[in-house]
Coordinates of all heavy atoms in Angstrom, one line a residue:
I1 N -20.8 9.4 -22.2 CA -20.1 8.5 -21.3 C -20.6 7.1 -21.4 O -21.8 6.9 -21.3 CB -20.2 9.0 -19.8 CG1 -19.7 10.5 -19.7 CG2 -19.5 8.1 -18.8 CD1 -19.9 11.1 -18.3
Y2 N -19.6 6.2 -21.5 CA -20.1 4.8 -21.6 C -19.0 3.9 -20.9 O -17.9 4.2 -20.8 CB -20.3 4.3 -23.0 CG -19.0 4.4 -23.9 CD1 -18.2 3.3 -24.1 CD2 -18.7 5.6 -24.6 CE1 -17.1 3.4 -24.9 CE2 -17.6 5.7 -25.4 CZ -16.8 4.6 -25.6 OH -15.7 4.6 -26.4
A3 N -19.5 2.9 -20.2 CA -18.7 1.9 -19.5 C -18.0 1.0 -20.5 O -18.5 0.7 -21.6 CB -19.5 1.1 -18.5
V4 N -16.8 0.6 -20.1 CA -16.0 -0.3 -21.0 C -15.6 -1.5 -20.1 O -14.9 -1.4 -19.1 CB -14.7 0.4 -21.5 CG1 -13.9 -0.5 -22.4 CG2 -15.1 1.7 -22.2
K5 N -16.0 -2.7 -20.6 CA -15.6 -3.9 -19.9 C -14.3 -4.4 -20.4 O -14.0 -4.2 -21.5 CB -16.7 -5.0 -20.1 CG -18.0 -4.6 -19.4 CD -19.0 -5.8 -19.5 CE -20.3 -5.4 -18.8 NZ -21.1 -6.6 -18.6
D6 N -13.5 -5.0 -19.5 CA -12.3 -5.6 -19.8 C -11.2 -4.7 -20.4 O -10.3 -5.1 -21.2 CB -12.5 -6.8 -20.8 CG -13.4 -7.9 -20.2 OD1 -13.3 -8.1 -19.0 OD2 -14.2 -8.4 -20.9
A7 N -11.3 -3.4 -20.1 CA -10.4 -2.4 -20.6 C -9.2 -2.3 -19.7 O -8.1 -1.8 -20.2 CB -11.1 -1.0 -20.8
V8 N -9.3 -2.7 -18.5 CA -8.2 -2.6 -17.6 C -8.0 -3.9 -16.8 O -9.0 -4.4 -16.3 CB -8.4 -1.4 -16.6 CG1 -7.3 -1.4 -15.5 CG2 -8.4 -0.1 -17.3
T9 N -6.8 -4.3 -16.6 CA -6.5 -5.4 -15.6 C -5.7 -4.7 -14.5 O -4.9 -3.8 -14.8 CB -5.7 -6.5 -16.3 OG1 -4.5 -6.1 -16.9 CG2 -6.6 -7.3 -17.3
V10 N -5.9 -5.1 -13.3 CA -5.2 -4.5 -12.2 C -4.7 -5.7 -11.3 O -5.5 -6.6 -11.0 CB -6.0 -3.5 -11.4 CG1 -7.3 -4.1 -10.9 CG2 -5.2 -2.8 -10.3
K11 N -3.5 -5.5 -10.8 CA -2.9 -6.5 -9.8 C -2.5 -5.7 -8.6 O -1.9 -4.6 -8.7 CB -1.7 -7.2 -10.4 CG -2.1 -8.2 -11.5 CD -0.9 -8.9 -12.1 CE -1.3 -9.8 -13.2 NZ -0.2 -10.5 -13.8
S12 N -2.8 -6.2 -7.4 CA -2.4 -5.6 -6.2 C -1.1 -6.3 -5.7 O -0.9 -7.5 -5.9 CB -3.5 -5.8 -5.1 OG -3.0 -5.3 -3.9
S13 N -0.2 -5.5 -5.0 CA 1.0 -6.1 -4.5 C 0.7 -7.0 -3.2 O 1.5 -7.7 -2.8 CB 1.9 -4.9 -4.0 OG 1.3 -4.1 -3.0
D14 N -0.5 -6.8 -2.7 CA -1.0 -7.7 -1.6 C -2.3 -8.3 -1.9 O -3.3 -7.6 -2.0 CB -1.1 -6.8 -0.3 CG -1.6 -7.5 0.9 OD1 -1.9 -8.8 0.8 OD2 -1.6 -6.9 2.0
E15 N -2.3 -9.6 -2.1 CA -3.5 -10.3 -2.5 C -4.6 -10.2 -1.5 O -5.8 -10.4 -1.8 CB -3.2 -11.8 -2.8 CG -2.8 -12.6 -1.6 CD -2.5 -14.0 -1.9 OE1 -1.9 -14.3 -3.0 OE2 -2.8 -14.9 -1.1
K16 N -4.3 -9.8 -0.3 CA -5.3 -9.6 0.8 C -5.9 -8.2 0.7 O -6.8 -7.9 1.5 CB -4.7 -9.9 2.1 CG -4.4 -11.3 2.3 CD -3.8 -11.6 3.7 CE -3.3 -13.0 3.8 NZ -2.6 -13.3 5.1
A17 N -5.4 -7.4 -0.2 CA -5.9 -6.0 -0.3 C -6.1 -5.7 -1.8 O -5.4 -5.0 -2.5 CB -4.9 -5.0 0.2
P18 N -7.2 -6.3 -2.4 CA -7.4 -6.2 -3.8 C -7.8 -4.7 -4.2 O -8.3 -4.0 -3.3 CB -8.6 -7.1 -4.1 CG -9.3 -7.3 -2.7 CD -8.2 -7.1 -1.7
I19 N -7.6 -4.4 -5.4 CA -8.0 -3.1 -6.0 C -9.1 -3.4 -7.0 O -8.9 -4.2 -7.9 CB -6.8 -2.4 -6.7 CG1 -5.6 -2.3 -5.8 CG2 -7.2 -1.0 -7.2 CD1 -5.7 -1.5 -4.5
D20 N -10.2 -2.7 -6.8 CA -11.3 -2.9 -7.8 C -11.4 -1.7 -8.7 O -11.1 -0.6 -8.3 CB -12.7 -3.1 -7.0 CG -13.7 -3.8 -7.8 OD1 -13.4 -4.2 -8.9 OD2 -14.9 -3.8 -7.3
V21 N -11.8 -1.9 -10.0 CA -11.8 -0.8 -10.9 C -13.1 -0.8 -11.8 O -13.8 -1.9 -11.9 CB -10.6 -0.9 -11.9 CG1 -9.3 -0.7 -11.2 CG2 -10.6 -2.1 -12.7
M22 N -13.4 0.4 -12.3 CA -14.5 0.5 -13.2 C -13.9 1.5 -14.3 O -13.2 2.5 -13.9 CB -15.7 1.2 -12.6 CG -16.8 1.5 -13.6 SD -18.3 2.1 -12.8 CE -17.7 3.6 -12.1
V23 N -14.2 1.3 -15.5 CA -13.6 2.1 -16.6 C -14.8 2.7 -17.4 O -15.7 2.0 -17.8 CB -12.7 1.3 -17.5 CG1 -12.1 2.2 -18.6 CG2 -11.6 0.7 -16.7
K24 N -14.6 4.0 -17.7 CA -15.5 4.7 -18.6 C -14.7 5.5 -19.6 O -13.6 5.9 -19.4 CB -16.4 5.7 -17.8 CG -17.2 5.0 -16.7 CD -18.6 5.3 -16.8 CE -19.4 4.6 -15.7 NZ -20.7 4.4 -16.1
R25 N -15.4 5.7 -20.8 CA -14.7 6.6 -21.8 C -15.7 7.7 -22.1 O -16.9 7.5 -22.2 CB -14.4 5.7 -23.1 CG -13.3 4.7 -22.8 CD -12.4 4.6 -24.0 NE -11.2 3.8 -23.6 CZ -11.0 2.6 -23.8 NH1 -11.9 1.8 -24.4 NH2 -9.9 2.0 -23.4
H26 N -15.1 8.9 -22.3 CA -15.9 10.1 -22.7 C -15.0 11.0 -23.4 O -13.9 11.4 -23.0 CB -16.4 10.7 -21.4 CG -17.2 11.9 -21.6 ND1 -18.5 11.9 -22.2 CD2 -17.0 13.2 -21.2 CE1 -19.0 13.1 -22.2 NE2 -18.1 13.9 -21.6
E27 N -15.5 11.5 -24.6 CA -14.9 12.5 -25.4 C -13.4 12.2 -25.6 O -12.5 13.0 -25.5 CB -15.1 13.9 -24.9 CG -16.5 14.3 -24.9 CD -16.8 15.7 -24.4 OE1 -15.8 16.3 -23.8 OE2 -17.9 16.2 -24.5
G28 N -13.1 10.9 -25.9 CA -11.7 10.5 -26.2 C -10.8 10.2 -25.0 O -9.7 9.9 -25.2
A29 N -11.3 10.4 -23.8 CA -10.5 10.2 -22.6 C -11.0 8.9 -22.0 O -12.2 8.5 -22.1 CB -10.6 11.3 -21.7
T30 N -10.1 8.2 -21.3 CA -10.4 7.0 -20.5 C -10.3 7.4 -19.1 O -9.3 8.0 -18.6 CB -9.4 5.9 -20.8 OG1 -9.4 5.6 -22.2 CG2 -9.6 4.6 -20.0
Y31 N -11.3 7.0 -18.3 CA -11.4 7.3 -16.9 C -11.4 6.0 -16.1 O -12.1 5.1 -16.5 CB -12.7 8.0 -16.5 CG -12.8 9.4 -17.1 CD1 -13.2 9.7 -18.4 CD2 -12.4 10.5 -16.4 CE1 -13.2 10.9 -19.0 CE2 -12.4 11.8 -16.9 CZ -12.8 12.0 -18.2 OH -12.9 13.3 -18.7
I32 N -10.5 5.9 -15.2 CA -10.4 4.7 -14.3 C -10.8 5.1 -12.9 O -10.2 6.0 -12.3 CB -9.0 4.1 -14.3 CG1 -8.6 3.7 -15.7 CG2 -8.9 2.9 -13.4 CD1 -7.1 3.3 -15.8
F33 N -11.8 4.4 -12.4 CA -12.2 4.6 -11.0 C -11.7 3.4 -10.2 O -12.1 2.3 -10.5 CB -13.8 4.7 -10.9 CG -14.4 5.8 -11.8 CD1 -14.6 5.6 -13.1 CD2 -14.7 7.0 -11.3 CE1 -15.1 6.6 -13.9 CE2 -15.2 8.0 -12.1 CZ -15.4 7.8 -13.4
A34 N -10.8 3.6 -9.3 CA -10.2 2.5 -8.6 C -10.3 2.7 -7.1 O -10.2 3.8 -6.5 CB -8.7 2.5 -8.9
V35 N -10.5 1.6 -6.4 CA -10.6 1.6 -4.9 C -9.9 0.4 -4.3 O -10.1 -0.7 -4.8 CB -12.1 1.7 -4.5 CG1 -12.9 0.5 -4.9 CG2 -12.2 1.9 -3.0
S36 N -9.2 0.7 -3.2 CA -8.7 -0.4 -2.4 C -9.8 -1.0 -1.6 O -10.5 -0.3 -0.9 CB -7.6 0.1 -1.5 OG -7.1 -0.9 -0.6
M37 N -10.0 -2.3 -1.6 CA -11.1 -3.0 -1.0 C -10.9 -3.4 0.4 O -11.7 -4.0 1.0 CB -11.6 -4.1 -1.9 CG -12.0 -3.7 -3.3 SD -13.3 -2.5 -3.3 CE -14.7 -3.6 -2.8
R38 N -9.7 -3.1 1.0 CA -9.4 -3.5 2.4 C -8.6 -2.4 3.1 O -8.1 -1.5 2.4 CB -8.5 -4.8 2.4 CG -9.1 -6.0 1.8 CD -10.2 -6.6 2.6 NE -10.7 -7.8 2.0 CZ -11.7 -7.9 1.1 NH1 -12.3 -6.8 0.7 NH2 -12.1 -9.1 0.6
D39 N -8.6 -2.5 4.4 CA -7.9 -1.5 5.2 C -6.4 -1.8 5.3 O -5.9 -2.1 6.4 CB -8.6 -1.3 6.6 CG -8.1 -0.2 7.4 OD1 -7.4 0.7 6.8 OD2 -8.3 -0.1 8.6
A40 N -5.7 -1.8 4.2 CA -4.3 -2.2 4.2 C -3.7 -1.5 2.9 O -4.3 -1.4 1.9 CB -4.1 -3.7 4.1
P41 N -2.4 -1.0 3.0 CA -1.8 -0.4 1.9 C -1.4 -1.4 0.9 O -1.1 -2.6 1.2 CB -0.6 0.3 2.5 CG -0.3 -0.5 3.7 CD -1.6 -1.0 4.2
A42 N -1.4 -1.0 -0.4 CA -0.9 -1.9 -1.5 C -0.6 -1.1 -2.7 O -1.0 0.1 -2.8 CB -2.0 -2.9 -1.9
K43 N 0.3 -1.6 -3.6 CA 0.6 -0.9 -4.8 C -0.2 -1.6 -5.9 O -0.2 -2.8 -6.1 CB 2.1 -1.0 -5.1 CG 2.4 -0.3 -6.4 CD 3.9 -0.4 -6.8 CE 4.7 0.6 -6.0 NZ 6.1 0.6 -6.4
A44 N -0.9 -0.8 -6.7 CA -1.7 -1.3 -7.8 C -0.9 -1.2 -9.1 O -0.3 -0.2 -9.4 CB -3.0 -0.6 -7.9
S45 N -0.9 -2.3 -9.9 CA -0.3 -2.2 -11.2 C -1.4 -2.4 -12.3 O -2.1 -3.4 -12.3 CB 0.7 -3.4 -11.4 OG 1.7 -3.3 -10.5
F46 N -1.6 -1.3 -13.0 CA -2.7 -1.3 -14.0 C -2.1 -1.5 -15.4 O -1.1 -1.1 -15.8 CB -3.3 0.1 -14.1 CG -4.0 0.5 -12.8 CD1 -3.3 1.2 -11.8 CD2 -5.3 0.2 -12.5 CE1 -3.9 1.6 -10.6 CE2 -5.9 0.6 -11.3 CZ -5.2 1.3 -10.4
E47 N -2.9 -2.3 -16.2 CA -2.6 -2.4 -17.7 C -3.9 -2.0 -18.4 O -4.9 -2.6 -18.2 CB -2.2 -3.8 -18.0 CG -1.7 -3.9 -19.5 CD -1.0 -5.2 -19.7 OE1 -0.6 -5.9 -18.8 OE2 -0.8 -5.5 -20.9
V48 N -3.8 -0.9 -19.2 CA -5.0 -0.3 -19.8 C -4.9 -0.5 -21.3 O -3.9 -0.2 -22.0 CB -5.0 1.2 -19.5 CG1 -6.3 1.9 -20.0 CG2 -4.8 1.5 -18.0
K49 N -6.0 -1.1 -21.8 CA -6.1 -1.3 -23.3 C -6.6 -0.1 -24.0 O -7.5 0.6 -23.4 CB -7.0 -2.5 -23.5 CG -6.5 -3.8 -23.0 CD -7.5 -4.9 -23.2 CE -7.1 -6.2 -22.4 NZ -8.1 -7.2 -22.4
G50 N -6.2 0.1 -25.2 CA -6.8 1.2 -26.0 C -6.3 2.6 -25.8 O -7.0 3.5 -26.1
V51 N -5.1 2.7 -25.1 CA -4.5 4.0 -24.9 C -3.2 4.1 -25.7 O -2.6 3.0 -26.0 CB -4.3 4.3 -23.4 CG1 -5.6 4.4 -22.7 CG2 -3.3 3.4 -22.8
P52 N -2.7 5.3 -26.0 CA -1.5 5.4 -26.8 C -0.3 4.8 -26.0 O -0.3 4.7 -24.8 CB -1.3 6.9 -26.9 CG -2.6 7.5 -26.7 CD -3.4 6.6 -25.8
E53 N 0.7 4.4 -26.8 CA 1.9 3.8 -26.2 C 2.5 4.7 -25.1 O 2.9 4.2 -24.1 CB 3.0 3.5 -27.3 CG 4.3 3.1 -26.8 CD 4.3 1.7 -26.3 OE1 3.5 0.8 -26.6 OE2 5.2 1.4 -25.4
K54 N 2.6 5.9 -25.4 CA 3.1 6.9 -24.4 C 2.0 7.8 -24.0 O 1.6 8.7 -24.7 CB 4.3 7.8 -25.0 CG 5.5 7.0 -25.4 CD 6.2 6.5 -24.1 CE 7.5 5.7 -24.5 NZ 8.1 5.2 -23.3
A55 N 1.4 7.5 -22.9 CA 0.2 8.3 -22.4 C 0.5 8.9 -21.0 O 1.5 8.5 -20.4 CB -1.0 7.4 -22.4
V56 N -0.4 9.8 -20.6 CA -0.2 10.4 -19.3 C -1.5 10.1 -18.5 O -2.6 10.4 -19.0 CB 0.1 11.9 -19.4 CG1 0.1 12.5 -18.0 CG2 1.4 12.1 -20.1
A57 N -1.4 9.6 -17.3 CA -2.6 9.4 -16.4 C -2.6 10.6 -15.4 O -1.6 10.7 -14.7 CB -2.5 8.1 -15.7
E58 N -3.7 11.3 -15.4 CA -3.8 12.4 -14.5 C -4.7 11.9 -13.3 O -5.7 11.3 -13.6 CB -4.5 13.6 -15.2 CG -4.9 14.7 -14.3 CD -5.7 15.8 -15.0 OE1 -6.0 15.6 -16.2 OE2 -6.1 16.7 -14.3
I59 N -4.2 12.2 -12.1 CA -5.1 11.8 -10.9 C -6.0 13.0 -10.7 O -5.5 14.1 -10.3 CB -4.2 11.5 -9.7 CG1 -3.3 10.3 -10.0 CG2 -5.1 11.2 -8.5 CD1 -2.4 9.9 -8.9
I60 N -7.3 12.8 -10.9 CA -8.3 13.8 -10.7 C -8.4 14.1 -9.2 O -8.6 13.2 -8.4 CB -9.6 13.4 -11.3 CG1 -9.5 13.2 -12.8 CG2 -10.7 14.5 -11.0 CD1 -10.7 12.6 -13.4
G61 N -8.2 15.4 -8.8 CA -8.3 15.8 -7.4 C -7.0 15.6 -6.7 O -6.9 15.9 -5.5
G62 N -6.0 15.1 -7.4 CA -4.7 14.9 -6.8 C -3.6 15.8 -7.4 O -2.5 15.8 -6.9
D63 N -3.9 16.5 -8.4 CA -3.0 17.4 -9.1 C -1.6 16.8 -9.3 O -0.6 17.3 -9.0 CB -2.9 18.7 -8.2 CG -2.2 19.8 -9.0 OD1 -2.5 19.9 -10.2 OD2 -1.5 20.6 -8.3
R64 N -1.7 15.5 -9.9 CA -0.5 14.8 -10.2 C -0.7 14.0 -11.5 O -1.8 13.6 -11.8 CB -0.1 13.9 -9.0 CG 1.3 13.3 -9.1 CD 1.7 12.7 -7.7 NE 0.8 11.7 -7.2 CZ 0.8 10.4 -7.6 NH1 1.7 10.0 -8.4 NH2 0.0 9.6 -7.0
K65 N 0.4 13.9 -12.2 CA 0.4 13.1 -13.5 C 1.4 12.0 -13.5 O 2.5 12.2 -12.9 CB 0.6 14.0 -14.7 CG -0.5 15.1 -14.8 CD -0.2 16.0 -16.0 CE -1.4 17.0 -16.0 NZ -1.3 17.9 -17.2
I66 N 1.0 10.9 -14.1 CA 1.9 9.7 -14.1 C 2.2 9.4 -15.6 O 1.2 9.2 -16.4 CB 1.2 8.5 -13.4 CG1 0.9 8.8 -12.0 CG2 2.1 7.3 -13.5 CD1 -0.1 7.8 -11.4
E67 N 3.4 9.3 -15.9 CA 3.8 8.9 -17.3 C 3.6 7.4 -17.4 O 4.0 6.6 -16.6 CB 5.3 9.2 -17.6 CG 5.7 10.7 -17.5 CD 5.2 11.5 -18.6 OE1 5.1 11.0 -19.7 OE2 4.8 12.7 -18.4
M68 N 2.9 7.0 -18.5 CA 2.6 5.6 -18.8 C 3.5 5.2 -20.0 O 3.8 6.0 -20.9 CB 1.1 5.4 -19.2 CG 0.2 5.8 -18.0 SD -1.5 5.6 -18.5 CE -1.7 3.9 -18.9
S69 N 3.7 3.9 -20.0 CA 4.4 3.3 -21.1 C 3.8 1.9 -21.5 O 3.6 1.1 -20.6 CB 5.9 3.1 -20.8 OG 6.6 2.5 -21.9
G70 N 3.4 1.8 -22.7 CA 2.7 0.5 -23.1 C 1.4 0.3 -22.4 O 1.1 -0.9 -22.1
G71 N 0.7 1.3 -22.0 CA -0.6 1.2 -21.3 C -0.5 0.8 -19.8 O -1.4 0.4 -19.2
K72 N 0.7 0.9 -19.3 CA 0.9 0.4 -17.9 C 1.2 1.6 -16.9 O 1.9 2.6 -17.3 CB 2.1 -0.6 -17.8 CG 1.8 -1.8 -18.6 CD 3.0 -2.8 -18.5 CE 2.6 -4.0 -19.3 NZ 3.7 -5.0 -19.4
L73 N 0.7 1.5 -15.7 CA 1.0 2.4 -14.7 C 0.9 1.8 -13.3 O 0.2 0.8 -13.1 CB 0.1 3.7 -14.7 CG -1.3 3.5 -14.3 CD1 -1.5 4.2 -12.9 CD2 -2.2 4.2 -15.3
E74 N 1.7 2.3 -12.4 CA 1.6 1.8 -11.0 C 1.3 2.9 -10.0 O 1.8 4.1 -10.3 CB 3.0 1.2 -10.6 CG 3.3 -0.1 -11.3 CD 4.5 -0.8 -10.8 OE1 5.4 -0.1 -10.1 OE2 4.7 -2.0 -11.1
E75 N 0.6 2.6 -9.0 CA 0.2 3.7 -8.0 C -0.1 3.0 -6.7 O -0.7 2.0 -6.6 CB -1.1 4.3 -8.5 CG -1.6 5.4 -7.7 CD -0.8 6.7 -7.6 OE1 0.2 6.8 -8.4 OE2 -1.0 7.5 -6.7
P76 N 0.5 3.6 -5.6 CA 0.2 3.1 -4.3 C -1.2 3.6 -3.8 O -1.7 4.6 -4.1 CB 1.3 3.8 -3.4 CG 1.7 5.0 -4.2 CD 1.4 4.7 -5.6
F77 N -1.8 2.7 -3.0 CA -3.1 3.0 -2.4 C -3.0 2.7 -0.9 O -2.3 1.8 -0.4 CB -4.2 2.0 -2.9 CG -4.7 2.5 -4.3 CD1 -4.0 2.3 -5.4 CD2 -5.9 3.0 -4.4 CE1 -4.4 2.6 -6.6 CE2 -6.4 3.4 -5.6 CZ -5.7 3.2 -6.7
Q78 N -3.6 3.6 -0.1 CA -3.8 3.3 1.3 C -5.1 2.5 1.5 O -5.8 2.3 0.6 CB -3.9 4.6 2.1 CG -2.6 5.4 2.0 CD -1.4 4.7 2.6 OE1 -1.4 4.1 3.6 NE2 -0.3 4.7 1.8
G79 N -5.3 2.0 2.7 CA -6.6 1.3 3.0 C -7.8 2.0 2.6 O -8.0 3.2 3.0
Y80 N -8.7 1.4 1.8 CA -10.0 1.9 1.4 C -9.8 3.2 0.5 O -10.8 3.9 0.4 CB -10.9 2.2 2.5 CG -11.3 0.9 3.3 CD1 -10.9 0.7 4.6 CD2 -11.9 -0.1 2.6 CE1 -11.3 -0.4 5.3 CE2 -12.3 -1.3 3.3 CZ -11.9 -1.5 4.6 OH -12.2 -2.6 5.3
E81 N -8.6 3.5 0.0 CA -8.5 4.7 -0.7 C -9.1 4.6 -2.1 O -9.1 3.6 -2.7 CB -7.0 5.1 -0.9 CG -6.7 6.4 -1.5 CD -5.3 6.8 -1.5 OE1 -4.4 5.9 -1.3 OE2 -5.0 8.0 -1.7
V82 N -9.7 5.7 -2.6 CA -10.3 5.8 -3.9 C -9.5 6.8 -4.7 O -9.1 7.9 -4.2 CB -11.7 6.3 -3.8 CG1 -12.4 6.5 -5.2 CG2 -12.6 5.4 -3.0
K83 N -9.2 6.4 -6.0 CA -8.5 7.3 -6.9 C -9.2 7.3 -8.3 O -9.7 6.3 -8.7 CB -7.0 6.9 -7.1 CG -6.2 7.1 -5.8 CD -4.8 6.9 -6.0 CE -4.0 7.1 -4.7 NZ -2.6 7.1 -4.8
L84 N -9.2 8.5 -8.9 CA -9.8 8.6 -10.2 C -8.7 9.1 -11.1 O -8.0 10.1 -10.9 CB -10.9 9.7 -10.2 CG -12.0 9.5 -9.1 CD1 -12.9 10.7 -9.1 CD2 -12.7 8.2 -9.3
F85 N -8.5 8.4 -12.2 CA -7.5 8.7 -13.2 C -8.2 9.1 -14.5 O -9.2 8.5 -14.9 CB -6.6 7.4 -13.5 CG -6.0 6.8 -12.3 CD1 -6.6 5.9 -11.6 CD2 -4.7 7.2 -12.0 CE1 -5.9 5.3 -10.5 CE2 -4.0 6.7 -10.9 CZ -4.7 5.7 -10.1
R86 N -7.6 10.0 -15.2 CA -8.0 10.4 -16.6 C -6.8 10.2 -17.5 O -5.8 10.8 -17.3 CB -8.5 11.8 -16.6 CG -8.9 12.3 -18.0 CD -9.6 13.6 -18.1 NE -8.9 14.6 -17.3 CZ -9.5 15.5 -16.5 NH1 -10.8 15.6 -16.5 NH2 -8.8 16.4 -15.8
I87 N -7.0 9.5 -18.6 CA -6.0 9.2 -19.6 C -6.5 9.8 -20.9 O -7.5 9.4 -21.4 CB -5.6 7.7 -19.7 CG1 -5.3 7.1 -18.4 CG2 -4.5 7.5 -20.7 CD1 -5.2 5.7 -18.3
R88 N -5.7 10.7 -21.4 CA -6.1 11.4 -22.7 C -5.2 10.9 -23.8 O -4.1 10.6 -23.6 CB -6.0 12.9 -22.6 CG -7.0 13.4 -21.6 CD -6.9 14.9 -21.6 NE -7.5 15.4 -20.4 CZ -8.3 16.4 -20.4 NH1 -8.6 17.0 -21.4 NH2 -8.9 16.8 -19.2

């Protein structure tokens, strides 16, 4: 497992509710650890470098998958919510 700097850019739909991320790679998968940094809902727009054009982001512990296109995905967050994504 190793950390990857500058692998993901994220934009929040509410500048007062930023989303912070950390990215790790392990055995060919990319893991994104994301957290809403304020007690307010927001939609996060992620752009992930180094993943296939058509990839799937699995929410770990959420039993849900998100189809990605061009390394991009969007996901809503509640205040202070934490989400873990695995992209293979």
Side-chain angles (χ1 to χ4, degrees):
I1 298 177
Y2 61 95
V4 183
K5 291 186 178 191
D6 302 322
V8 172
T9 56
V10 61
K11 292 182 183 177
S12 174
S13 62
D14 181 353
E15 65 183 37
K16 294 178 183 175
I19 308 294
D20 202 4
V21 296
M22 176 178 62
V23 180
K24 301 235 179 204
R25 291 218 166 99
H26 180 65
E27 295 181 354
T30 300
Y31 293 84
I32 301 171
F33 303 83
V35 61
S36 173
M37 301 300 290
R38 299 288 183 271
D39 189 15
K43 181 183 280 188
S45 299
F46 298 91
E47 189 167 342
V48 187
K49 297 176 188 170
V51 298
E53 173 68 25
K54 297 290 182 184
V56 175
E58 174 187 359
I59 298 179
I60 298 172
D63 197 31
R64 192 163 57 84
K65 296 181 180 182
I66 303 166
E67 299 288 328
M68 297 176 62
S69 180
K72 296 179 182 178
L73 73 106
E74 290 187 343
E75 179 68 11
F77 280 75
Q78 296 303 312
Y80 297 118
E81 187 172 19
V82 176
K83 293 188 180 185
L84 309 174
F85 302 89
R86 176 174 44 222
I87 304 167
R88 297 180 196 226

